[in-house]
């Protein structure tokens, strides 16, 4: 199982509004054990990340297929993903075509 509950439990929100959202996500996962998967409820978690150049000056954006708007790389979780971070990097590789991506954690 992915580490979504653990990540959300350990994360210190920077504001009361973000903490309320964090708690809402935890409650959603408690109510919907399949809330991580595309096949689950209409509202489900996805994983995303920012792809930055080496100088941290430019970000790569992807055109969202259905919504037709520009966003960071990311998407649905898959059964082989062990962590949210792993899912985000997999999605970034798939969407960008870049194979040499390194995960930098801000945590």
């Amino acid at each position: 199982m992915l580490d979504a509950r653990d990540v959300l439990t350990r994360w210190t929100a920077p504001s009361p509004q973000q903490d309320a959202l964090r708690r809402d996500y935890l409650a959603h996962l408690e109510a919907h054990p399949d809330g991580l998967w595309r096949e689950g409820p209409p509202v489900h978690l996805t994983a995303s990340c920012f792809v930055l150049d080496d100088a941290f000056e430019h970000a790569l954006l992807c055109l969202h297929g259905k919504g037709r708007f520009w966003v960071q790389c990311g998407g649905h979780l898959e059964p082989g993903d062990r962590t949210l971070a792993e899912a985000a990097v997999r999605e970034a590789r798939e969407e960008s075509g870049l194979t040499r991506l390194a995960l930098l954690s801000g945590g």
Side-chain angles (χ1 to χ4, degrees):
M1 179 54 78
L2 286 165
D3 61 345
R5 286 179 191 85
D6 186 46
V7 168
L8 287 167
T9 300
R10 288 184 292 120
W11 181 61
T12 301
S15 70
Q17 294 84 4
Q18 288 292 303
D19 194 54
L21 184 59
R22 179 189 70 81
R23 289 191 314 270
D24 286 348
Y25 276 116
L26 283 168
H28 180 72
L29 289 175
E30 185 68 29
H32 303 280
D34 58 349
L36 294 174
W37 311 111
R38 177 192 313 247
E39 298 80 14
V43 175
H44 51 270
L45 270 68
T46 58
S48 65
C49 63
F50 288 98
V51 177
L52 305 171
D53 68 345
D54 290 337
F56 298 99
E57 294 177 347
H58 300 94
L60 175 69
L61 297 177
C62 295
L63 183 62
H64 189 278
K66 288 184 180 179
R68 306 305 296 166
F69 50 85
W70 293 95
V71 294
Q72 73 273 17
C73 295
H76 292 98
L77 307 173
E78 295 182 1
D81 297 327
R82 294 175 297 180
T83 66
L84 292 174
E86 185 178 287
V89 171
R90 176 190 49 74
E91 284 287 337
R93 287 182 178 136
E94 289 175 3
E95 293 180 354
S96 71
L98 301 171
T99 57
R100 297 180 329 147
L101 296 177
L103 179 65
L104 300 176
S105 174

